[in-house]
Amino acid sequence: MEAIIFLYLKANNIFLSLTTTQGDILTSWSAGQSGFQNSRKSTPYAAQSVVTDFLRNIEKYKIKEIHVKVFGFGPGREAALRRLLQGNFQILTFVDRTPSIYNGCRPPKTRKL
C-alpha cells in the first residue's frame, strides 16, 4: 500500500498525519498525544519520540511505500526526519514545503525633527 506522511513542525509542537494517495486521512499524531506538555513539546527528544509512537501506530496499515511532505521548521526537525528514515518502508518522494525567509519589507525612514 502507498501512503503520504505529512510532517508539520511548528516552533512549539509537531504534528504528523498519514493519508492515502487520494487524500483520505487514516490517522494523525501530535506531541501532546505522546505525553509531552508545554515547552517539552518543542525539544528534539520529543520530536523523535513522537515519530517513534507514530510509526508504531501506523504498523496496522501495512504500508510499504510512502511519500513524505515536510512543512515548517523547529528544533526537532532533524531528529524527526532521522527517525522517520529508520522506518521499515521505502520512501518514494521527499518534498520540503517550508517557506523561505526573504527579510520582509524595508523599515520606515527615521523621523527627523
Side-chain angles (χ1 to χ4, degrees):
M1 182 177 168
E2 206 172 300
I4 303 170
I5 291 180
F6 289 94
L7 183 65
Y8 296 101
L9 295 143
K10 303 295 181 185
N12 296 325
N13 209 347
I14 178 174
F15 300 100
L16 290 148
S17 64
L18 178 73
T19 65
T20 62
T21 52
Q22 287 80 26
D24 301 326
I25 295 176
L26 299 174
T27 185
S28 62
W29 204 260
S30 70
Q33 287 176 305
S34 292
F36 294 98
Q37 296 178 356
N38 303 331
S39 63
R40 294 181 208 209
K41 291 192 288 187
S42 63
T43 60
Y45 172 73
Q48 186 176 359
S49 178
V50 168
V51 174
T52 303
D53 292 345
F54 179 73
L55 293 177
R56 238 184 270 131
N57 189 24
I58 66 171
E59 284 177 352
K60 60 186 172 190
Y61 296 106
K62 295 182 177 44
I63 295 168
K64 301 293 180 203
E65 299 172 334
I66 62 165
H67 303 275
V68 179
K69 295 188 179 184
V70 179
F71 181 82
F73 59 91
R77 180 183 168 108
E78 298 300 320
L81 292 177
R82 250 185 264 118
R83 180 62 189 104
L84 192 62
L85 290 173
Q86 294 173 358
N88 54 356
F89 37 73
Q90 182 182 5
I91 296 176
L92 299 177
T93 59
F94 181 84
V95 179
D96 188 4
R97 303 183 75 197
T98 305
S100 61
I101 299 170
Y102 65 96
N103 285 342
C105 302
R106 256 177 103 167
K109 292 171 125 181
T110 58
R111 187 173 171 201
K112 296 179 183 172
L113 298 174

